[in-house]
Amino acid sequence: MNNQPLILVVEDDQTVSGFMSAILKSNDYKVLHATSGKEAILLTASHSPDVILLDLGLPDMDGINVLKAVREWSKIPILIVSARGMEREKIEALDLGADDYITKPFGTGELLARIRRELRHSQAADDLLTAEKMVIGNLELNYEKRLVLMNGQEVHLTPIEYKILVTLSKHAGKVLTYDFIIREVWGPYGNDIMTLRVNIANIRKKIEENSAEPRYILTEMGVGYRMAEEVTD
Ligand code: CA
C-alpha cells in the first residue's frame, strides 16, 4: 500500500516513541521519528507528514516553538502529546494552532481515534463548517431552521445556549478552549468563564439524559469542552 498516512512522532523518550511507533505501524501507518525540535521541523518540511504527534518537552527547544515554526507555513494537523496536569501548556498550544492534545498515559484506542479524527477532519473541516445539518446520536441540529431536536422532540434553548451548541457542534470531536468558545459566542470582549459554565450546565440539562454524566458535551478539565462526534446507546 502506497497511500498509508504518514505520521511524524516527535518524542525524545525512546520508550514512549517506541510504543507509539509500534501501535501506528501495526495499524498500517507509516511512521517517521524525530527526537529533537530541529529534526521535527526539518522532517516536516522534507516529508510533509499527514499528522504530527508533538511532545512539548524536547531536549533542544520547547515543543511550542516547533508548533509555531510549522504553523508559519503549514496546516498539517498537530496533536500535542502532553503530561497530565499541564493545562496551561495545552491551552497555549491550542491557541497557537495545535489541533488537539492527548494526555499521557494514553491507551492505544485513544491514540488511534485521535489520529483518525485528525485525518478525517483535515479533509472535511470546511464541509463541517458549512453543513446545514448535523446529527450526533439522538441529537439533531438544523442550522438553517435554527432547530434543535433531541429524540425528535424540539429542545428550547436561549439564543446564547444555541450559539454555544452550534459552536461546539461545528467542531465536534475537537477540544475547544474556554477562550475560543467565549470569543465565538460573545465576541472579543467576552471573558467570563463562569457564565459559560452556567450556560453549558443549562444546555446539558436540556439535552443530556444524565447531566452529571454528559455524553454529548464533554468536559476537558481546566481546558474547555469537546462535543462528542458519536454517541451510541
Ligand atoms: Ca520529552
Side-chain angles (χ1 to χ4, degrees), residues 10-13 16 35 55-59 81 104:
V10 186
E11 173 65 73
D12 58 316
D13 182 325
V16 179
T35 53
D55 174 34
L56 292 179
L58 296 168
V81 180
K104 292 180 209 173

Side-chain angles (χ1 to χ4, degrees), residues 76-174:
I76 294 173
I78 299 180
L79 196 56
I80 300 295
V81 180
S82 159
R84 199 175 287 279
M86 305 294 275
E87 271 64 36
R88 259 190 180 292
E89 227 174 50
K90 291 175 194 167
I91 292 173
E92 190 189 2
L94 292 168
D95 285 340
L96 286 169
D99 294 89
D100 207 340
Y101 62 80
I102 184 162
T103 306
K104 292 180 209 173
F106 47 80
T108 309
E110 195 184 355
L111 177 66
L112 294 171
R114 289 292 160 78
I115 290 174
R116 277 197 304 272
R117 179 185 178 278
E118 293 311 329
L119 288 169
R120 209 162 49 234
H121 282 238
S122 58
Q123 288 133 24
D126 294 342
D127 297 350
L128 200 62
L129 290 175
T130 56
E132 287 169 9
K133 237 175 109 162
M134 165 145 246
V135 178
I136 302 167
N138 298 323
L139 179 69
E140 186 179 330
L141 284 111
N142 187 319
Y143 304 119
E144 224 175 29
K145 297 183 183 160
R146 299 178 66 91
L147 190 65
V148 179
L149 302 172
M150 182 45 119
N151 296 318
Q153 299 286 316
E154 189 174 349
V155 180
H156 296 281
L157 299 171
T158 67
I160 290 287
E161 290 166 5
Y162 178 74
K163 267 186 154 179
I164 293 172
L165 192 60
V166 167
T167 302
L168 290 168
S169 65
K170 292 267 182 185
H171 301 273
K174 180 173 171 165

